[in-house]
Amino acid sequence: MKTDLSRGAAVLLLAAALTGPAVAASSAGPSRLPEAPPLTARAGAASLSARLGNSVPLPWETRAFILAEAERRGVPEALAWAVIEQESGFDPAAISPTGDYGLMKINRRNHAWLREELGVEDFLDPEQNAAAGLYLLGQHLESCDGDIHRALMRYNLGPTGAKRLWDKGIFSTEYSRQTVGRMERYQAAGSVCEIGGN
C-alpha cells in the first residue's frame, strides 16, 4: 500500500482544489503530512499547450499535487517547476549515475531519512518524489532567508558543498543561474495553477 504521497493523495488534492478543503479533510483520513492548502486552480481554464507550450508535460493530477506541496513548503511555484525541469526534464523515471532519483533527483543518501521523516516509499513515484524534493527545497530556502541562489546551491551541492563555495565568496553557480533563468521564464508565462485538466 502506498503512503499518503501516492496518486490517490494527488486525486484528493485535486478534489480539494475543485470543491474546497472539506473533501480532502473528510476523505484522506489520518496522515503523517499536514493537510495541503486548497488550490486556487480552476478546471477548464486555458490549456497547458496554450499557456506554457509543453513546459510542464505532467498529468493534471501531478501538477495539482506539486502546486499544493510547493505552496505548503513555501516554495514559489515558478521555482518548483524550474528545479524539476533542471533536474530531470520532467522525467519521473530519471536516475543519474550518481544515484539521484526521479523528478527532483533525490540522492539515495537522503532516501532513508526522508522515508522516516515523510513516509516516502517510492522515490520514482512522481508525487512522492516531488513531496520530498519540495520539502528539501523549502528547508534550504528557510535556511538561506529566501536567497534563491544560495538555496539552489544547497539543493544541488548539499549544505557542506555550498558553504565551501560561500567561504570563497561564490554565491551563485551555473546550476543556480540556469535554474533561476528557468524560474523567470515560468514567472513570465503565468501560473500553472490556472491550467485545467487534460
Side-chain angles (χ1 to χ4, degrees), residues 40-108:
T40 57
R42 294 284 186 266
S47 71
L48 181 60
S49 59
R51 292 289 304 285
L52 293 176
N54 292 320
S55 297
V56 182
L58 296 171
W60 164 241
E61 294 88 353
T62 303
R63 296 196 309 263
F65 182 90
I66 290 170
L67 173 60
E69 282 294 299
E71 187 175 345
R72 183 154 68 93
R73 299 302 183 188
V75 176
E77 180 188 350
L79 179 59
W81 303 126
V83 170
I84 293 170
E85 182 182 4
Q86 181 77 20
E87 290 289 346
S88 69
F90 295 99
D91 178 4
I95 302 177
S96 77
T98 55
D100 305 299
Y101 285 68
L103 284 178
M104 297 190 74
K105 293 284 186 75
I106 308 301
N107 190 273
R108 64 182 161 222

